[in-house]
């Protein structure tokens, strides 16, 4: 495992946001959802795709708060432009989303 220093870690902008839209993403090879996440006034709404279909149904994701990296460059995934990376614990094809234990303000920094 490669070590990083504090300066490397401080460049990663992780925030809490609320999922406001969930749609199927049939154009991709591995099952995924298209998500819109509200990160509050400073950052606004960002789009992403997430391969989280094995553990989550669309209706259970709406209004769920999640942690995401918001300062990656945009990435083209099939016909969709991803603007952030939702964080999760990965076990095979199962991804368990990381989220705050209590409801917090959208856009709060994770440190």
């Amino acid at each position: 495992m490669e070590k990083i220093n504090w300066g490397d870690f401080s460049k990663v902008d992780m925030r809490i946001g609320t999922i406001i839209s969930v749609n199927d993403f049939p154009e991709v090879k591995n099952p995924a959802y298209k998500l819109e996440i509200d990160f509050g006034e400073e950052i606004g709404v960002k789009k992403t795709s997430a391969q989280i279909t094995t553990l989550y149904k669309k209706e259970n994701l709406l209004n769920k708060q999640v942690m995401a990296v918001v300062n990656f460059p945009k990435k083209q995934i099939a016909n969709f432009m991803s603007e952030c990376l939702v964080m999760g614990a990965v076990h095979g094809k199962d991804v368990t989303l990381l989220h705050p234990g209590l409801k917090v303000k959208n856009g709060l920094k994770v440190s």
Side-chain angles (χ1 to χ4, degrees):
M1 177 185 331
E2 183 179 350
K3 302 276 185 192
I4 64 170
N5 61 41
W6 181 255
D8 295 332
F9 177 73
S10 68
K11 293 176 188 175
V12 181
D13 191 358
M14 295 176 286
R15 304 285 181 124
I16 300 298
T18 300
I19 299 172
I20 60 172
S21 171
V22 183
N23 292 292
D24 292 323
F25 195 3
E27 297 87 357
V28 291
K29 181 172 63 170
N30 296 316
Y33 295 130
K34 293 179 188 177
L35 307 176
E36 287 187 322
I37 304 171
D38 181 0
F39 290 102
E41 290 180 23
E42 181 184 345
I43 295 170
V45 174
K46 289 189 172 273
K47 300 179 293 184
T48 192
S49 68
Q51 295 176 1
I52 55 175
T53 60
T54 62
L55 296 179
Y56 298 95
K57 295 191 181 324
K58 290 188 294 188
E59 57 270 16
N60 297 340
L61 290 168
L62 270 179
N63 300 314
K64 182 174 186 62
Q65 288 196 305
V66 293
M67 181 169 68
V69 176
V70 297
N71 65 333
F72 278 125
K74 293 180 181 180
K75 180 178 181 180
Q76 183 85 36
I77 301 172
N79 61 346
F80 181 77
M81 192 62 73
S82 180
E83 301 172 317
C84 63
L85 176 70
V86 175
M87 310 273 304
V90 180
H91 183 257
K93 292 188 178 194
D94 294 338
V95 178
T96 302
L97 293 171
L98 300 181
H99 59 89
L102 301 172
K103 185 166 178 61
V104 299
K105 184 177 176 183
N106 287 337
L108 283 184
K109 281 190 158 219
V110 175
S111 61

mmCIF file of all heavy atoms in Angstrom, residues 28-47:
data_model
loop_
_atom_site.group_PDB
_atom_site.id
_atom_site.type_symbol
_atom_site.label_atom_id
_atom_site.label_comp_id
_atom_site.label_asym_id
_atom_site.label_seq_id
_atom_site.Cartn_x
_atom_site.Cartn_y
_atom_site.Cartn_z
ATOM 1 N N VAL A 28 -24.648 1.149 -19.460
ATOM 2 C CA VAL A 28 -23.346 0.701 -18.959
ATOM 3 C C VAL A 28 -23.266 -0.821 -18.892
ATOM 4 O O VAL A 28 -24.277 -1.515 -18.835
ATOM 5 C CB VAL A 28 -23.025 1.309 -17.574
ATOM 6 C CG1 VAL A 28 -22.776 2.790 -17.674
ATOM 7 C CG2 VAL A 28 -24.127 1.021 -16.572
ATOM 8 N N LYS A 29 -22.015 -1.317 -18.902
ATOM 9 C CA LYS A 29 -21.765 -2.766 -18.880
ATOM 10 C C LYS A 29 -22.178 -3.385 -17.543
ATOM 11 O O LYS A 29 -22.809 -4.428 -17.511
ATOM 12 C CB LYS A 29 -20.282 -3.016 -19.163
ATOM 13 C CG LYS A 29 -19.888 -4.472 -19.188
ATOM 14 C CD LYS A 29 -18.456 -4.684 -19.649
ATOM 15 C CE LYS A 29 -17.475 -4.035 -18.705
ATOM 16 N NZ LYS A 29 -16.075 -4.392 -18.965
ATOM 17 N N ASN A 30 -21.789 -2.757 -16.433
ATOM 18 C CA ASN A 30 -22.143 -3.258 -15.102
ATOM 19 C C ASN A 30 -23.334 -2.471 -14.569
ATOM 20 O O ASN A 30 -23.372 -1.246 -14.705
ATOM 21 C CB ASN A 30 -20.956 -3.112 -14.148
ATOM 22 C CG ASN A 30 -19.785 -3.965 -14.582
ATOM 23 O OD1 ASN A 30 -19.962 -5.119 -14.950
ATOM 24 N ND2 ASN A 30 -18.592 -3.398 -14.552
ATOM 25 N N PRO A 31 -24.302 -3.144 -13.950
ATOM 26 C CA PRO A 31 -25.498 -2.452 -13.463
ATOM 27 C C PRO A 31 -25.148 -1.262 -12.570
ATOM 28 O O PRO A 31 -24.302 -1.363 -11.682
ATOM 29 C CB PRO A 31 -26.241 -3.532 -12.683
ATOM 30 C CG PRO A 31 -25.750 -4.827 -13.246
ATOM 31 C CD PRO A 31 -24.322 -4.568 -13.642
ATOM 32 N N ALA A 32 -25.811 -0.132 -12.827
ATOM 33 C CA ALA A 32 -25.544 1.097 -12.070
ATOM 34 C C ALA A 32 -26.776 1.985 -12.083
ATOM 35 O O ALA A 32 -27.701 1.782 -12.882
ATOM 36 C CB ALA A 32 -24.352 1.837 -12.673
ATOM 37 N N TYR A 33 -26.773 2.956 -11.200
ATOM 38 C CA TYR A 33 -27.784 4.012 -11.178
ATOM 39 C C TYR A 33 -27.122 5.337 -11.537
ATOM 40 O O TYR A 33 -25.950 5.552 -11.244
ATOM 41 C CB TYR A 33 -28.404 4.173 -9.787
ATOM 42 C CG TYR A 33 -29.197 3.007 -9.277
ATOM 43 C CD1 TYR A 33 -28.949 2.495 -8.010
ATOM 44 C CD2 TYR A 33 -30.210 2.421 -10.034
ATOM 45 C CE1 TYR A 33 -29.679 1.436 -7.503
ATOM 46 C CE2 TYR A 33 -30.945 1.359 -9.543
ATOM 47 C CZ TYR A 33 -30.678 0.866 -8.274
ATOM 48 O OH TYR A 33 -31.396 -0.187 -7.770
ATOM 49 N N LYS A 34 -27.917 6.229 -12.139
ATOM 50 C CA LYS A 34 -27.531 7.634 -12.283
ATOM 51 C C LYS A 34 -28.103 8.358 -11.067
ATOM 52 O O LYS A 34 -29.288 8.231 -10.769
ATOM 53 C CB LYS A 34 -28.125 8.243 -13.548
ATOM 54 C CG LYS A 34 -27.588 7.689 -14.836
ATOM 55 C CD LYS A 34 -28.289 8.388 -15.996
ATOM 56 C CE LYS A 34 -27.952 7.772 -17.322
ATOM 57 N NZ LYS A 34 -28.696 8.426 -18.417
ATOM 58 N N LEU A 35 -27.261 9.119 -10.384
ATOM 59 C CA LEU A 35 -27.688 9.850 -9.189
ATOM 60 C C LEU A 35 -27.490 11.339 -9.378
ATOM 61 O O LEU A 35 -26.523 11.762 -10.020
ATOM 62 C CB LEU A 35 -26.866 9.415 -7.972
ATOM 63 C CG LEU A 35 -26.782 7.934 -7.633
ATOM 64 C CD1 LEU A 35 -25.840 7.727 -6.448
ATOM 65 C CD2 LEU A 35 -28.151 7.368 -7.333
ATOM 66 N N GLU A 36 -28.379 12.128 -8.804
ATOM 67 C CA GLU A 36 -28.169 13.565 -8.620
ATOM 68 C C GLU A 36 -28.114 13.779 -7.121
ATOM 69 O O GLU A 36 -28.987 13.307 -6.383
ATOM 70 C CB GLU A 36 -29.291 14.382 -9.245
ATOM 71 C CG GLU A 36 -29.248 14.419 -10.742
ATOM 72 C CD GLU A 36 -30.281 15.378 -11.317
ATOM 73 O OE1 GLU A 36 -31.408 15.462 -10.772
ATOM 74 O OE2 GLU A 36 -29.957 16.047 -12.303
ATOM 75 N N ILE A 37 -27.060 14.490 -6.679
ATOM 76 C CA ILE A 37 -26.823 14.684 -5.248
ATOM 77 C C ILE A 37 -26.721 16.173 -4.952
ATOM 78 O O ILE A 37 -25.955 16.896 -5.600
ATOM 79 C CB ILE A 37 -25.528 13.964 -4.812
ATOM 80 C CG1 ILE A 37 -25.604 12.475 -5.185
ATOM 81 C CG2 ILE A 37 -25.296 14.147 -3.313
ATOM 82 C CD1 ILE A 37 -24.309 11.730 -5.000
ATOM 83 N N ASP A 38 -27.475 16.633 -3.965
ATOM 84 C CA ASP A 38 -27.471 18.031 -3.554
ATOM 85 C C ASP A 38 -26.421 18.233 -2.464
ATOM 86 O O ASP A 38 -26.535 17.670 -1.370
ATOM 87 C CB ASP A 38 -28.850 18.423 -3.038
ATOM 88 C CG ASP A 38 -28.944 19.877 -2.615
ATOM 89 O OD1 ASP A 38 -27.938 20.616 -2.716
ATOM 90 O OD2 ASP A 38 -30.038 20.282 -2.172
ATOM 91 N N PHE A 39 -25.390 19.040 -2.791
ATOM 92 C CA PHE A 39 -24.313 19.334 -1.842
ATOM 93 C C PHE A 39 -24.451 20.731 -1.240
ATOM 94 O O PHE A 39 -23.478 21.294 -0.745
ATOM 95 C CB PHE A 39 -22.953 19.182 -2.521
ATOM 96 C CG PHE A 39 -22.610 17.752 -2.846
ATOM 97 C CD1 PHE A 39 -22.754 17.284 -4.140
ATOM 98 C CD2 PHE A 39 -22.157 16.889 -1.872
ATOM 99 C CE1 PHE A 39 -22.452 15.964 -4.457
ATOM 100 C CE2 PHE A 39 -21.855 15.566 -2.167
ATOM 101 C CZ PHE A 39 -22.001 15.100 -3.465
ATOM 102 N N GLY A 40 -25.626 21.318 -1.269
ATOM 103 C CA GLY A 40 -25.849 22.604 -0.630
ATOM 104 C C GLY A 40 -25.496 23.781 -1.509
ATOM 105 O O GLY A 40 -25.114 23.633 -2.671
ATOM 106 N N GLU A 41 -25.619 24.976 -0.933
ATOM 107 C CA GLU A 41 -25.471 26.230 -1.685
ATOM 108 C C GLU A 41 -24.093 26.406 -2.322
ATOM 109 O O GLU A 41 -23.987 26.850 -3.455
ATOM 110 C CB GLU A 41 -25.768 27.423 -0.776
ATOM 111 C CG GLU A 41 -27.223 27.540 -0.383
ATOM 112 C CD GLU A 41 -27.476 28.739 0.508
ATOM 113 O OE1 GLU A 41 -26.668 29.688 0.477
ATOM 114 O OE2 GLU A 41 -28.480 28.713 1.221
ATOM 115 N N GLU A 42 -23.033 26.100 -1.604
ATOM 116 C CA GLU A 42 -21.679 26.354 -2.100
ATOM 117 C C GLU A 42 -21.346 25.514 -3.335
ATOM 118 O O GLU A 42 -20.742 26.012 -4.286
ATOM 119 C CB GLU A 42 -20.660 26.058 -0.991
ATOM 120 C CG GLU A 42 -19.224 26.304 -1.404
ATOM 121 C CD GLU A 42 -18.229 25.909 -0.321
ATOM 122 O OE1 GLU A 42 -18.619 25.714 0.841
ATOM 123 O OE2 GLU A 42 -17.039 25.806 -0.661
ATOM 124 N N ILE A 43 -21.745 24.253 -3.341
ATOM 125 C CA ILE A 43 -21.370 23.334 -4.417
ATOM 126 C C ILE A 43 -22.521 23.077 -5.376
ATOM 127 O O ILE A 43 -22.329 22.930 -6.574
ATOM 128 C CB ILE A 43 -20.851 22.004 -3.825
ATOM 129 C CG1 ILE A 43 -19.563 22.293 -3.055
ATOM 130 C CG2 ILE A 43 -20.605 20.956 -4.912
ATOM 131 C CD1 ILE A 43 -19.070 21.149 -2.226
ATOM 132 N N GLY A 44 -23.729 23.000 -4.873
ATOM 133 C CA GLY A 44 -24.899 22.753 -5.706
ATOM 134 C C GLY A 44 -25.128 21.263 -5.943
ATOM 135 O O GLY A 44 -24.665 20.414 -5.192
ATOM 136 N N VAL A 45 -25.830 20.963 -7.029
ATOM 137 C CA VAL A 45 -26.184 19.593 -7.375
ATOM 138 C C VAL A 45 -25.149 19.035 -8.340
ATOM 139 O O VAL A 45 -24.774 19.693 -9.307
ATOM 140 C CB VAL A 45 -27.597 19.531 -8.002
ATOM 141 C CG1 VAL A 45 -27.918 18.120 -8.495
ATOM 142 C CG2 VAL A 45 -28.645 20.011 -7.008
ATOM 143 N N LYS A 46 -24.679 17.811 -8.060
ATOM 144 C CA LYS A 46 -23.734 17.120 -8.942
ATOM 145 C C LYS A 46 -24.322 15.774 -9.332
ATOM 146 O O LYS A 46 -25.068 15.171 -8.571
ATOM 147 C CB LYS A 46 -22.375 16.936 -8.266
ATOM 148 C CG LYS A 46 -21.599 18.236 -8.123
ATOM 149 C CD LYS A 46 -20.181 17.955 -7.653
ATOM 150 C CE LYS A 46 -19.332 19.193 -7.689
ATOM 151 N NZ LYS A 46 -18.702 19.432 -8.961
ATOM 152 N N LYS A 47 -23.921 15.308 -10.529
ATOM 153 C CA LYS A 47 -24.377 14.017 -11.045
ATOM 154 C C LYS A 47 -23.253 12.996 -10.919
ATOM 155 O O LYS A 47 -22.075 13.340 -11.008
ATOM 156 C CB LYS A 47 -24.769 14.131 -12.520
ATOM 157 C CG LYS A 47 -25.879 15.115 -12.796
ATOM 158 C CD LYS A 47 -26.195 15.188 -14.268
ATOM 159 C CE LYS A 47 -25.032 15.794 -15.022
ATOM 160 N NZ LYS A 47 -25.263 16.008 -16.441
#
